[in-house]
Amino acid sequence: MILQTTDSTMAEAARRAPDLMGPTWICALDQTAARGRRGRPWVNPQGNFAASLVLRPEGLPAQAALRSFVAALALRDALAAVTGRPEALGLKWPNDVLLKGGKVAGILLESTGLGGRIDHLVIGIGVNLVAAPAATEVEPGAVAPVSLAAETGTTIAPEDFLNQLAPAYDRWERAFAADGFAPIRTAWLQGATRLGQTLIARTARDEITGTFTDVDSDGQLVLETAQGPRRIAAADIFF
């Protein structure tokens, strides 16, 4: 569904989720209170893409969370289709898509449920189609944001981008359902940015520096550090 305006597609999805029986995309042309990971504000001028996909997945929360990789692959495919520039795209753990080394898209997952089971999973996606935040609006040291229009000259309406993204997501979701995380992990690693290079992972408690060697079968980042391999479930990543 396409909405002219809402506070955020994530909030809209949460309100509508109990009444939705099947996978549903909610796309808004304007958001008044967009947000990203950890409640951070998400700058979303009109013309950029903002949508949330509502799912009712089977399985445990950890399995559902692996759909951030599914969404990243779908985003990469959709961006490659509209630009014709697959070589310019990269995947940054845990949930960003890069264009010429700058952040062009982000992914946010939220879920509801009881007793260790998922009721609804919402996958929020934002893409800088026409404009990117200023460098002063992002965390110091973070990857600089870029827009599709400025970097490639490609212009596309949010509704038309959804027409590329939705079938791309469906293809990868079907692969995930049929064969599990293994093929998703392999495909994601093939497009990963900075594999084999030094990264800094900042968690809620510490900062870890190491060589990015892998993403494991649980979706954790694997860094080779001076103390040995470290597996990281959640962190902000800096190059």
Side-chain angles (χ1 to χ4, degrees):
M1 64 183 70
I2 306 293
L3 305 176
Q4 287 299 313
T5 186
T6 188
D7 47 358
S8 82
T9 62
M10 297 297 287
E12 188 72 37
R15 290 190 291 266
R16 293 177 182 258
D19 299 322
L20 300 175
M21 300 308 296
T24 302
W25 285 95
I26 299 172
C27 179
L29 304 184
D30 181 46
Q31 292 188 111
T32 60
R35 54 188 170 84
R37 293 180 66 227
R38 301 181 182 177
R40 295 168 180 153
W42 179 273
V43 179
N44 189 69
Q46 289 194 23
N48 279 358
F49 179 82
S52 293
L53 172 61
V54 185
L55 300 172
R56 302 189 70 172
E58 301 289 337
L60 298 174
Q63 184 76 3
L66 295 174
R67 284 177 171 82
S68 64
F69 296 91
V70 177
L73 291 171
L75 259 176
R76 181 200 62 187
D77 287 358
L79 288 164
V82 301
T83 63
R85 299 285 303 278
E87 76 286 350
L89 298 163
L91 304 174
K92 177 177 175 284
W93 189 92
N95 55 9
D96 293 338
V97 179
L98 307 186
L99 174 63
K100 296 184 178 180
K103 179 175 175 177
V104 71
I107 300 162
L108 174 66
L109 269 64
E110 294 181 350
S111 63
T112 61
L114 294 171
R117 306 293 295 184
I118 293 289
D119 182 17
H120 290 94
L121 175 71
V122 180
I123 304 173
I125 294 175
V127 184
N128 300 327
L129 294 181
V130 300
T136 55
E137 296 181 83
V138 299
E139 186 176 356
V143 173
V146 299
S147 74
L148 191 68
E151 297 299 316
T152 69
T154 301
T155 57
I156 185 170
E159 306 96 312
D160 294 329
F161 187 76
L162 181 59
N163 289 336
Q164 293 286 340
L165 178 60
Y169 183 89
D170 183 64
R171 288 192 297 272
W172 286 108
E173 175 68 29
R174 289 177 185 274
F176 183 53
D179 300 312
F181 183 55
I184 303 299
R185 172 178 169 270
T186 297
W188 191 94
L189 283 168
Q190 289 172 347
T193 294
R194 303 294 179 103
L195 188 63
Q197 298 183 32
T198 300
L199 303 181
I200 299 170
R202 293 178 185 165
T203 71
R205 292 184 295 180
D206 57 7
E207 181 173 294
I208 305 156
T209 300
T211 302
F212 173 23
T213 61
D214 202 359
V215 167
D216 69 13
S217 59
D218 295 320
Q220 297 181 106
L221 179 73
V222 182
L223 295 183
E224 186 64 40
T225 74
Q227 293 74 40
R230 290 284 302 270
R231 297 174 187 269
I232 300 164
D236 289 323
I237 300 301
F238 297 85
F239 298 152

